[in-house]
Amino acid sequence: MVDTRRFIPINIAVLTVSDTRTLDDDKSGDLLEKRIKKSGHVLTSRLIIPDEKDQIVKVLENWISEKDVDVIISTGGTGLTGRDVTIEAHKLLYDKEITAFQTVFSIISMHKIGTSAIQSRACAGVASGTYLFALPGSPSACRDAWDEILVFQFDYRHLPCNFVELIPRLEEFGRGK
């Protein structure tokens, strides 16, 4: 049987978490923006904020509440130091964690950077019907996550399953799309 599904663009917001980056030197944010648009999706917002958990939570909550944001991808603040609080901010908001994302991302990273992959705390979840992904701040990590996981899961034509086909069913989390 030939699949006749058509591509369905989704709305994606990108958040860079960094004490030092600006729009002029945010290579990871630039990479994600280009890939989102090249894939046919819509970039709804893009911000850079410092590594402050309260600020991260506030931006995530604002975007989660917007009906035109289906996915939030953050980059940065996923390391092991005291200033790295993106994961903690994300997990405060999750209704459900997508635990396999971290596993798949770690496997991909392991093939590229060996045991250094153990330092990644990349994570994903669903909050009020919005997908959230927290990626490391390096452009190569963002490239790996997009090119080897997200580009497929954000494509309605990808079988046997994908995140796009679940969006209408996420209304159970209190956000009618």
Side-chain angles (χ1 to χ4, degrees), residues 28-41:
S28 294
D30 289 343
L31 181 141
L32 289 168
E33 179 176 349
K34 287 176 187 166
R35 279 171 161 68
I36 287 165
K37 290 177 177 178
K38 183 180 179 187
S39 297
H41 299 297

Side-chain angles (χ1 to χ4, degrees), residues 1-8 152 155-162 164-165:
M1 181 172 105
V2 176
D3 183 41
T4 57
R5 292 182 179 200
R6 64 174 181 43
F7 179 79
I8 299 173
F152 301 110
D155 191 334
Y156 182 66
R157 302 166 297 185
H158 181 75
L159 297 174
C161 57
N162 58 76
V164 178
E165 65 191 0

Side-chain angles (χ1 to χ4, degrees), residues 10-151:
I10 57 174
N11 300 316
I12 304 173
V14 173
L15 176 64
T16 298
V17 178
S18 173
D19 290 331
T20 59
R21 296 282 177 253
T22 68
L23 282 175
D24 293 330
D25 64 1
D26 180 18
K27 293 179 183 176
S28 294
D30 289 343
L31 181 141
L32 289 168
E33 179 176 349
K34 287 176 187 166
R35 279 171 161 68
I36 287 165
K37 290 177 177 178
K38 183 180 179 187
S39 297
H41 299 297
V42 177
L43 180 72
T44 58
S45 299
R46 181 172 169 198
L47 286 175
I48 299 175
I49 61 171
D51 288 283
E52 297 291 341
K53 186 162 66 171
D54 292 343
Q55 287 185 43
I56 298 166
V57 168
K58 184 176 180 179
V59 170
L60 294 176
E61 286 176 331
N62 287 340
W63 283 348
I64 289 165
S65 71
E66 293 182 17
K67 289 193 182 269
D68 71 339
V69 176
D70 301 309
V71 175
I72 301 167
I73 302 174
S74 66
T75 174
T78 64
L80 300 173
T81 71
R83 295 288 298 153
D84 295 317
V85 294
T86 301
I87 302 306
E88 290 73 17
H90 270 245
K91 289 188 176 189
L92 282 173
L93 302 174
Y94 291 168
D95 295 312
K96 299 242 179 187
E97 189 168 0
I98 305 170
T99 53
F101 176 78
Q102 185 174 20
T103 302
V104 173
F105 182 78
S106 294
I107 291 167
I108 291 165
S109 296
M110 182 75 178
H111 289 293
K112 299 191 176 194
I113 61 172
T115 59
S116 294
I118 198 169
Q119 294 184 29
S120 174
R121 297 191 308 140
C123 69
V126 178
S128 296
T130 302
Y131 292 110
L132 285 81
F133 295 86
L135 308 179
S138 76
S140 61
C142 291
R143 182 179 307 108
D144 292 346
W146 183 269
D147 292 353
E148 300 197 37
I149 304 170
L150 299 178
V151 72

